Amino acid sequence: MQNQAMVMTDVRKFELCNVSMPEVGTDELGIAVKSVGICGSDMHFYEGKAFSIFPNSLPFVLGHEAAGVVYQVGENVKDFQVGDRVAIEPGVPCGKCAFCESGRYNLCPDVVFLATPPVEGALKRYIKYPAFKTYRLPDNLSMTEGALLEPLSVGIHAAQRSGVTIGKTVAILGGGCIGLCTLLAAKAWGASRIIVCDLFDSHLNKALALGATDTVNSGTQNTVEQIMKLTGGAGVDIVFETAGSPVTAAQTSHIVGRGGTIVMVGNIMPDVPFSFRNLYKKEAEVRAVFRYCNTYPIALQAVASGRIDVKRIVSASYPFEQAQQAFDHAVDDKVNCVKAVITME
Ligand SMILES: [Zn+2]
Ligand SMILES: [Zn+2]
């Protein structure tokens, strides 16, 4: 078996390199990777925008949304077999700190996360992975659906943190991959009205197809005015900020309703002018979402049962050898590309 990695050697440049086979440890699985989703953070890296946080990190391997087939089982691992189809959860927490003990392991200060320097990602033919963060896929889940459990986990964690229940009115600011995953989760949790706002009609049409009840084009319409109009002046019960933009972040306190909840999902880098007076008057609250925890079993069941059809967010698929084209497409055509995936035969 010859391992290969798609190595990022420069900004917007990949090289397919022969690399050694992983040395599978006693508590690990050897996995032949079959599907990898391209995430916003991968694109950020590919465009060279992450070098301010991770200087001197090239050459590097991207990809943290992955599924594959087990080809080797570590000697301490009891519940997996060669041939199992699996998805991996890309964060491996320490398992010992107070946050891990409390179940909020996404807050573990020692978490090791795939494709976060110096930890290489999954754009390889073969990887090793700790068995305790690997999930066996039912037969009716495709490899790509397995990889998509990762972004779906973000949406599910956001929905759980928001307290969304049946009958609630929700606004989602941003209709990219994470916005759409949040939409799928909010819908599965019973939200009755889901308003999605985005700059691109292509994203809004996708949102409507996936169950949004209303859309607002934030490029041509005033988002705050439109949402207040759609809700008869009441605002929404829950606002999800998924665009990662200071503009949408500032809008959240204007559109949240009385007693409502704002959930910050996007990674917003600059400081944002924010009306705390709006929060005060409405006794609204703000909650943040950092990745996810305990969501993989839920995501897996939701997709397997047909409750959430996550594969519909995929807009393009490329073979492993064409990873560079896949990334170029994802970066250069954000209007049409909601989610690109890379597959290995
Ligand atoms: Zn991701
Ligand atoms: Zn920990």
Side-chain angles (χ1 to χ4, degrees), residues 14 18 25 35 49 51 79 85 111 192 209 211 245 257 267 335 337:
F14 280 143
N18 284 345
S35 184
K49 290 178 182 167
F51 294 158
D79 35 8
R85 301 160 69 256
V111 69
S192 62
S245 145
N267 180 7
V335 177
C337 185

PDB file of all heavy atoms in Angstrom, residues 14 18 25 35 49 51 79 85 111 192 209 211 245 257 267 335 337:
ATOM      1  N   PHE A  14      -1.255  22.897  -4.602  1.00  0.00           N
ATOM      2  CA  PHE A  14      -1.161  21.552  -4.020  1.00  0.00           C
ATOM      3  C   PHE A  14      -0.170  20.715  -4.816  1.00  0.00           C
ATOM      4  O   PHE A  14      -0.045  20.884  -6.033  1.00  0.00           O
ATOM      5  CB  PHE A  14      -2.521  20.837  -4.107  1.00  0.00           C
ATOM      6  CG  PHE A  14      -3.506  21.242  -3.047  1.00  0.00           C
ATOM      7  CD1 PHE A  14      -4.861  21.334  -3.368  1.00  0.00           C
ATOM      8  CD2 PHE A  14      -3.125  21.489  -1.746  1.00  0.00           C
ATOM      9  CE1 PHE A  14      -5.796  21.687  -2.409  1.00  0.00           C
ATOM     10  CE2 PHE A  14      -4.057  21.839  -0.778  1.00  0.00           C
ATOM     11  CZ  PHE A  14      -5.396  21.937  -1.113  1.00  0.00           C
ATOM     12  N   ASN A  18       3.989  11.237  -2.460  1.00  0.00           N
ATOM     13  CA  ASN A  18       4.059   9.941  -1.780  1.00  0.00           C
ATOM     14  C   ASN A  18       4.524  10.178  -0.352  1.00  0.00           C
ATOM     15  O   ASN A  18       5.503  10.895  -0.128  1.00  0.00           O
ATOM     16  CB  ASN A  18       5.045   9.013  -2.488  1.00  0.00           C
ATOM     17  CG  ASN A  18       4.445   8.442  -3.768  1.00  0.00           C
ATOM     18  OD1 ASN A  18       3.233   8.502  -3.988  1.00  0.00           O
ATOM     19  ND2 ASN A  18       5.290   7.895  -4.617  1.00  0.00           N
ATOM     20  N   GLY A  25      -1.522   3.100  16.095  1.00  0.00           N
ATOM     21  CA  GLY A  25      -1.269   2.786  17.505  1.00  0.00           C
ATOM     22  C   GLY A  25      -2.281   1.799  18.057  1.00  0.00           C
ATOM     23  O   GLY A  25      -3.266   1.442  17.388  1.00  0.00           O
ATOM     24  N   SER A  35     -13.894  10.163   1.487  1.00  0.00           N
ATOM     25  CA  SER A  35     -14.565  11.432   1.191  1.00  0.00           C
ATOM     26  C   SER A  35     -14.089  12.497   2.174  1.00  0.00           C
ATOM     27  O   SER A  35     -13.967  12.235   3.369  1.00  0.00           O
ATOM     28  CB  SER A  35     -16.087  11.266   1.290  1.00  0.00           C
ATOM     29  OG  SER A  35     -16.730  12.474   0.915  1.00  0.00           O
ATOM     30  N   LYS A  49      -4.877  33.153   3.969  1.00  0.00           N
ATOM     31  CA  LYS A  49      -5.383  34.108   4.966  1.00  0.00           C
ATOM     32  C   LYS A  49      -5.126  33.663   6.404  1.00  0.00           C
ATOM     33  O   LYS A  49      -5.321  34.428   7.336  1.00  0.00           O
ATOM     34  CB  LYS A  49      -6.891  34.316   4.771  1.00  0.00           C
ATOM     35  CG  LYS A  49      -7.242  35.075   3.498  1.00  0.00           C
ATOM     36  CD  LYS A  49      -8.753  35.196   3.364  1.00  0.00           C
ATOM     37  CE  LYS A  49      -9.146  35.895   2.085  1.00  0.00           C
ATOM     38  NZ  LYS A  49     -10.589  35.742   1.821  1.00  0.00           N
ATOM     39  N   PHE A  51      -2.230  32.538   7.521  1.00  0.00           N
ATOM     40  CA  PHE A  51      -0.810  32.574   7.883  1.00  0.00           C
ATOM     41  C   PHE A  51      -0.516  33.562   9.014  1.00  0.00           C
ATOM     42  O   PHE A  51       0.507  33.441   9.681  1.00  0.00           O
ATOM     43  CB  PHE A  51       0.059  32.904   6.671  1.00  0.00           C
ATOM     44  CG  PHE A  51       0.028  31.840   5.611  1.00  0.00           C
ATOM     45  CD1 PHE A  51       0.350  32.137   4.300  1.00  0.00           C
ATOM     46  CD2 PHE A  51      -0.336  30.538   5.921  1.00  0.00           C
ATOM     47  CE1 PHE A  51       0.316  31.156   3.322  1.00  0.00           C
ATOM     48  CE2 PHE A  51      -0.375  29.550   4.948  1.00  0.00           C
ATOM     49  CZ  PHE A  51      -0.046  29.862   3.643  1.00  0.00           C
ATOM     50  N   ASP A  79     -14.279  -2.648  19.282  1.00  0.00           N
ATOM     51  CA  ASP A  79     -15.587  -2.517  18.627  1.00  0.00           C
ATOM     52  C   ASP A  79     -15.532  -2.092  17.156  1.00  0.00           C
ATOM     53  O   ASP A  79     -16.520  -1.586  16.621  1.00  0.00           O
ATOM     54  CB  ASP A  79     -16.504  -1.594  19.440  1.00  0.00           C
ATOM     55  CG  ASP A  79     -15.753  -0.466  20.105  1.00  0.00           C
ATOM     56  OD1 ASP A  79     -14.536  -0.316  19.816  1.00  0.00           O
ATOM     57  OD2 ASP A  79     -16.350   0.271  20.897  1.00  0.00           O
ATOM     58  N   ARG A  85     -17.228   0.919   7.612  1.00  0.00           N
ATOM     59  CA  ARG A  85     -17.301   2.267   7.028  1.00  0.00           C
ATOM     60  C   ARG A  85     -17.492   3.233   8.198  1.00  0.00           C
ATOM     61  O   ARG A  85     -18.389   3.042   9.029  1.00  0.00           O
ATOM     62  CB  ARG A  85     -18.459   2.339   6.044  1.00  0.00           C
ATOM     63  CG  ARG A  85     -18.305   1.318   4.907  1.00  0.00           C
ATOM     64  CD  ARG A  85     -19.616   1.028   4.204  1.00  0.00           C
ATOM     65  NE  ARG A  85     -20.091   2.168   3.440  1.00  0.00           N
ATOM     66  CZ  ARG A  85     -21.073   2.977   3.812  1.00  0.00           C
ATOM     67  NH1 ARG A  85     -21.695   2.772   4.956  1.00  0.00           N
ATOM     68  NH2 ARG A  85     -21.442   3.973   3.061  1.00  0.00           N
ATOM     69  N   VAL A 111      -7.277  20.136  23.188  1.00  0.00           N
ATOM     70  CA  VAL A 111      -7.861  19.393  22.068  1.00  0.00           C
ATOM     71  C   VAL A 111      -6.910  19.427  20.869  1.00  0.00           C
ATOM     72  O   VAL A 111      -6.251  20.434  20.593  1.00  0.00           O
ATOM     73  CB  VAL A 111      -9.253  19.964  21.683  1.00  0.00           C
ATOM     74  CG1 VAL A 111      -9.138  21.344  21.062  1.00  0.00           C
ATOM     75  CG2 VAL A 111     -10.007  19.018  20.766  1.00  0.00           C
ATOM     76  N   SER A 192     -40.925  26.599  13.285  1.00  0.00           N
ATOM     77  CA  SER A 192     -42.048  26.686  12.342  1.00  0.00           C
ATOM     78  C   SER A 192     -41.760  27.677  11.235  1.00  0.00           C
ATOM     79  O   SER A 192     -42.209  27.524  10.115  1.00  0.00           O
ATOM     80  CB  SER A 192     -43.317  27.098  13.082  1.00  0.00           C
ATOM     81  OG  SER A 192     -43.134  28.368  13.658  1.00  0.00           O
ATOM     82  N   ALA A 209     -35.183  25.459  -0.880  1.00  0.00           N
ATOM     83  CA  ALA A 209     -35.316  24.039  -1.231  1.00  0.00           C
ATOM     84  C   ALA A 209     -35.118  23.153  -0.002  1.00  0.00           C
ATOM     85  O   ALA A 209     -35.686  22.059   0.083  1.00  0.00           O
ATOM     86  CB  ALA A 209     -34.303  23.680  -2.315  1.00  0.00           C
ATOM     87  N   GLY A 211     -35.979  23.995   3.097  1.00  0.00           N
ATOM     88  CA  GLY A 211     -36.999  24.165   4.136  1.00  0.00           C
ATOM     89  C   GLY A 211     -37.132  25.542   4.737  1.00  0.00           C
ATOM     90  O   GLY A 211     -37.918  25.729   5.669  1.00  0.00           O
ATOM     91  N   SER A 245     -19.648  37.771   9.912  1.00  0.00           N
ATOM     92  CA  SER A 245     -19.398  39.140   9.464  1.00  0.00           C
ATOM     93  C   SER A 245     -19.764  40.147  10.558  1.00  0.00           C
ATOM     94  O   SER A 245     -20.780  39.981  11.248  1.00  0.00           O
ATOM     95  CB  SER A 245     -20.244  39.404   8.209  1.00  0.00           C
ATOM     96  OG  SER A 245     -20.693  40.742   8.180  1.00  0.00           O
ATOM     97  N   GLY A 257     -36.295  39.076  19.070  1.00  0.00           N
ATOM     98  CA  GLY A 257     -37.530  39.520  19.718  1.00  0.00           C
ATOM     99  C   GLY A 257     -37.382  39.596  21.221  1.00  0.00           C
ATOM    100  O   GLY A 257     -36.332  39.257  21.783  1.00  0.00           O
ATOM    101  N   ASN A 267     -17.250  32.783  12.943  1.00  0.00           N
ATOM    102  CA  ASN A 267     -15.998  33.216  13.571  1.00  0.00           C
ATOM    103  C   ASN A 267     -15.725  34.648  13.107  1.00  0.00           C
ATOM    104  O   ASN A 267     -15.247  34.870  12.005  1.00  0.00           O
ATOM    105  CB  ASN A 267     -14.874  32.264  13.141  1.00  0.00           C
ATOM    106  CG  ASN A 267     -13.538  32.630  13.755  1.00  0.00           C
ATOM    107  OD1 ASN A 267     -13.453  33.510  14.609  1.00  0.00           O
ATOM    108  ND2 ASN A 267     -12.496  31.972  13.313  1.00  0.00           N
ATOM    109  N   VAL A 335     -20.417  32.104  -5.150  1.00  0.00           N
ATOM    110  CA  VAL A 335     -21.836  32.292  -5.465  1.00  0.00           C
ATOM    111  C   VAL A 335     -22.512  30.941  -5.696  1.00  0.00           C
ATOM    112  O   VAL A 335     -23.595  30.677  -5.183  1.00  0.00           O
ATOM    113  CB  VAL A 335     -22.001  33.189  -6.710  1.00  0.00           C
ATOM    114  CG1 VAL A 335     -23.479  33.317  -7.086  1.00  0.00           C
ATOM    115  CG2 VAL A 335     -21.412  34.559  -6.451  1.00  0.00           C
ATOM    116  N   CYS A 337     -20.876  27.772  -5.325  1.00  0.00           N
ATOM    117  CA  CYS A 337     -20.361  26.643  -4.553  1.00  0.00           C
ATOM    118  C   CYS A 337     -20.777  26.766  -3.087  1.00  0.00           C
ATOM    119  O   CYS A 337     -20.266  27.608  -2.363  1.00  0.00           O
ATOM    120  CB  CYS A 337     -18.842  26.569  -4.665  1.00  0.00           C
ATOM    121  SG  CYS A 337     -18.207  25.111  -3.835  1.00  0.00           S
TER     122      CYS A 337
END
